[in-house]
Amino acid sequence: MRIIVIGASGHIGKVVADTLSDRGHEVLRASRTGEWPVDITDPESVRALFTQTGTVDAVIVAAGKVPFKHVTELNRDDYLAAFVSKALPQIALVGVAFEHVRDGGSITLTTGVLAREPIATGAAGAAANGAVESFVITAAAEAPRGIRLNVVSPDVLENSPGSHALFAGHRPVTDDEVGRAYTLAVEGIGSGQVLKV
């Protein structure tokens, strides 16, 4: 398969790109500064990426950030920043990807454990993740041409030890577990699923 991985220079994106490449897929590694440049917060940049890549079998998005602050310190701008950086770009990208993914292909978005497990300072991230997951569940039912739409929701990553203190009591997930979840999203048959890792 020919697969675009957006955010391929990040912790999750690199693992996903390497896993799928090792499985024999042609992986186009897209990021702000990579071989296939893209800024998912800029609609024109997203369109330019798909114009350059042409038709693909699958698209994976593993990009976006959110502010971490105590809920009493979060303000409207913080929630807006989480939505504009993580939720809205992924949601909007799906519409463009529908035009460039082959019949029966797949699109996979990325959220995280904050949509289902609370941590201190995680409210903005929880709101953004929840928006993406709710969108996928409904939008998958209307996806055209048999295109499958899923989301992978990993817990804190073993390869990101700097984040472990925020996720007290959580079991960090391994690169292998992350890679398997995205492989299932791309090579499996499910749609409208939140794949929890």
Side-chain angles (χ1 to χ4, degrees):
M1 290 186 198
R2 192 164 185 260
I3 303 168
I4 302 174
V5 176
I6 297 173
S9 61
H11 289 297
I12 293 175
K14 183 177 184 323
V15 168
V16 173
D18 288 348
T19 298
L20 294 173
S21 181
D22 289 347
R23 292 183 62 78
H25 298 295
E26 178 188 355
V27 177
L28 310 180
R29 298 171 187 252
S31 64
R32 287 179 188 257
T33 58
E35 176 185 357
W36 296 89
V38 66
D39 175 355
I40 65 168
T41 66
D42 178 355
E44 291 307 314
S45 177
V46 170
R47 288 201 172 276
L49 171 68
F50 283 106
T51 297
Q52 292 168 12
T53 61
T55 302
V56 295
D57 298 291
V59 175
I60 294 170
V61 184
K65 61 182 181 178
V66 296
F68 286 85
K69 293 182 181 178
H70 191 276
V71 69
T72 60
E73 298 171 356
L74 287 166
N75 58 36
R76 183 180 186 280
D77 289 341
D78 293 318
Y79 290 113
L80 185 60
F83 188 75
V84 168
S85 175
K86 185 159 190 181
L88 183 58
Q90 293 194 82
I91 290 168
L93 184 142
V94 169
V96 179
F98 280 151
E99 302 170 10
H100 298 275
V101 172
R102 69 162 176 80
D103 293 3
S106 74
I107 301 168
T108 306
L109 306 183
T110 301
T111 58
V113 69
L114 298 182
R116 62 185 184 275
E117 293 287 340
I119 66 163
T121 73
N129 287 347
V132 173
E133 291 183 8
S134 295
F135 166 77
V136 165
I137 290 167
T138 299
E142 298 181 322
R145 299 179 291 104
I147 295 172
R148 296 178 302 102
L149 177 61
N150 293 293
V151 59
V152 174
S153 177
D155 207 321
V156 65
L157 305 174
E158 189 177 76
N159 72 16
S160 301
S163 300
H164 292 180
L166 282 174
F167 294 85
H170 288 240
R171 182 187 66 80
V173 297
T174 65
D175 289 354
D176 185 57
E177 290 173 299
V178 170
R180 281 201 311 265
Y182 285 90
T183 298
L184 176 61
V186 170
E187 297 181 12
I189 62 171
S191 190
Q193 296 182 326
V194 178
L195 303 173
K196 299 171 184 175
V197 186

